[in-house]
Amino acid sequence: MVTDRTEPPIERRASLRAFNSFGLPAVAATLVRVRSESDVKRMVDHPEIGPAPKLILGGGSNLVLTRDVAAVVLKVEIPGRRLVSASPEAVVVEAGAGENWHDFVAWTLEQGWPGLENLALIPGTVGAAPVQNIGAYGVELAERFESLDGVDLITGRSVTLSAAQCAFGYRDSVFKQLLAGKTLITRVRFRLPRPWQPVLGYLDLQRRMHETGVHDPDARTVFDWVCAIRRAKLPDPQQIGNAGSFFKNPVVSAEQCRDIIGRDPSVVHYPLPDGHFKLAAGWLIDACGWKGKSIGRAGVYERQALVLVNRGGAIGAEVLTLARAIQESVYGRFGIRLEPEPLIL
Ligand code: EPU
């Protein structure tokens, strides 16, 4: 049921500092908070808002703001959580795009629907999760995805996209490419397979099993372990501004990998099914001596070199300067170009 409300207010010259987890200063010329699908459609039909370029903003946890935003910022605040179906094979659950991701994960566990526990404590919203195909500790969103609803911001039509249509890749989807700024995700459905099987292959989880002696953890235990692991090595954006991993883990050919191992035998590398290797960008940055270093008010987190942080009052340009310096030194030493993971505006 769509409850007809009045048009959402159009905010002018809105500060975005509180809406990006890096805590970077920037002003949106126009910002609208959308709380329902009909709000989105009203904005598409709006004579002034409709034709303007859009920036779709979720939790702002994967964003580096280097300047003020001229595009119309649509801040997605669509609420709601529900069970769609339950069968012996799977539980399908749905959440509004504006729901907080971690709270949603915790809620599914409380309901007795495990499957998302490895993705606990990832900052951001449900609607942003498919955009970058969030992943952690051996599980990617794509593996738990059913479908999503959105609104085409050109035509105002409702659309439903399957996993194939979302074109998920490593920290990538169609929403970072072809549909960027064009389709606003309103609701996401997740398929949680039954019977539940824990995913415990990731090294950090293996360590927990050995330390605790618990070899058949339930979903709640895996959830608690993931939270503890994340808290130990990733900064809480409420306390230290950051956008999670700043670079993607680079993929190199077997030949390139052999060459790097020849020079640095301890390089952290993982074989991929297609014969390529994924390298740990954090390790590469760490090896270049960046951990704990700063340029201006932007720094490299002490406990995880893949995370750049705001040491207090940083502006986006400082973060970019630091990122470029890191890219140059990693390229100089290893011949690898690191690709930023967050959206840089
Ligand atoms: N490492 C170092 N030094 C560092 C950081 C890492 O030597 O400063 C080494 C670690 O010892 C480990 C390897 O690099 O051997 C990989 O580190 P870690 O397990 O912490 O994972 P990651 O590759 O740095 C990725 C994701 C994270 C995700 C974790 C866990 C990317 C870009 N990042 O990090 O995702 O939480 O795995 O699955 O894929 C994010 O995307 O924002 C994010 C935090």
Side-chain angles (χ1 to χ4, degrees):
M1 266 268 293
V2 177
T3 42
D4 210 26
R5 297 188 308 124
T6 50
E7 199 165 272
I10 296 169
E11 300 170 39
R12 304 286 183 187
R13 292 205 52 77
S15 168
L16 295 176
R17 194 196 287 265
F19 299 152
N20 73 99
S21 64
F22 239 119
L24 300 170
V27 170
T30 308
L31 180 139
V32 183
R33 297 160 192 258
V34 287
R35 292 192 44 84
S36 65
E37 185 177 80
S38 36
D39 275 359
V40 181
K41 293 187 173 184
R42 281 191 191 99
M43 287 304 110
V44 176
D45 290 339
H46 193 281
E48 191 189 330
I49 305 287
K54 310 284 186 318
L55 170 68
I56 301 162
L57 186 63
S61 57
N62 204 42
L63 184 64
V64 182
L65 290 167
T66 65
R67 53 190 152 87
D68 290 344
V69 179
V72 171
V73 176
L74 294 179
K75 185 162 186 301
V76 183
E77 298 184 349
I78 300 169
R81 301 163 180 169
R82 71 182 180 104
L83 174 68
V84 177
S85 65
S87 73
E89 289 79 43
V91 170
V92 177
V93 281
E94 181 187 88
E99 291 284 331
N100 173 277
W101 173 260
H102 176 74
D103 293 347
F104 171 64
V105 172
W107 175 78
T108 56
L109 286 180
E110 280 158 26
Q111 305 303 307
W113 305 324
L116 297 175
E117 56 284 345
N118 293 51
L119 302 175
L121 221 58
I122 295 181
T125 57
V126 166
V131 175
Q132 54 153 336
N133 185 20
I134 57 170
Y137 307 102
V139 176
E140 262 190 1
L141 171 124
E143 298 163 66
R144 300 284 182 271
F145 181 84
E146 171 75 9
S147 59
L148 61 77
D149 298 335
V151 175
D152 181 319
L153 294 178
I154 314 286
T155 63
R157 281 201 204 108
S158 301
V159 292
T160 296
L161 272 70
S162 66
Q165 289 169 312
C166 291
F168 292 122
Y170 166 55
R171 293 295 189 279
D172 197 26
S173 76
V174 74
F175 305 102
K176 266 185 150 180
Q177 310 288 342
L178 204 64
L179 297 184
K182 297 199 172 69
T183 296
L184 186 146
I185 297 167
T186 51
R187 280 181 293 267
V188 187
R189 284 171 293 279
F190 301 88
R191 183 183 173 80
L192 311 176
R194 278 174 161 175
W196 173 75
Q197 302 258 355
V199 179
L200 298 167
Y202 206 89
L203 188 64
D204 287 333
L205 290 171
Q206 291 284 319
R207 274 200 201 114
R208 289 272 151 175
M209 283 166 69
H210 290 302
E211 281 161 18
T212 58
V214 177
H215 293 281
D216 56 348
D218 59 12
R220 184 73 216 186
T221 304
V222 178
F223 175 90
D224 290 341
W225 285 352
V226 168
C227 290
I229 294 164
R230 289 189 74 96
R231 287 199 176 103
K233 63 164 85 167
L234 297 169
D236 176 356
Q238 304 282 357
Q239 281 149 30
I240 304 173
N242 76 92
S245 299
F246 198 91
F247 299 102
K248 292 187 189 183
N249 285 329
V251 173
V252 297
S253 67
E255 193 189 346
Q256 243 183 318
C257 191
R258 266 195 305 275
D259 178 54
I260 294 171
I261 294 170
R263 285 181 283 147
D264 272 283
S266 57
V267 64
V268 177
H269 59 288
Y270 316 94
L272 295 176
D274 65 357
H276 284 76
F277 284 83
K278 189 176 263 190
L279 305 182
W283 186 93
L284 300 171
I285 299 166
D286 200 357
C288 291
W290 279 104
K291 203 184 255 180
K293 296 274 163 59
S294 298
I295 291 187
R297 292 162 292 184
V300 179
Y301 192 53
E302 285 69 14
R303 279 179 266 159
Q304 162 57 293
L306 194 50
V307 178
L308 304 193
V309 296
N310 182 348
R311 301 229 186 263
I315 60 167
E318 286 169 294
V319 176
L320 272 199
T321 304
L322 174 62
R324 289 201 183 114
I326 290 170
Q327 281 171 314
E328 270 170 37
S329 63
V330 168
Y331 185 72
R333 173 149 172 202
F334 297 103
I336 291 170
R337 292 189 194 280
L338 291 182
E339 203 186 311
E341 204 271 299
L343 174 65
I344 298 176
L345 273 187

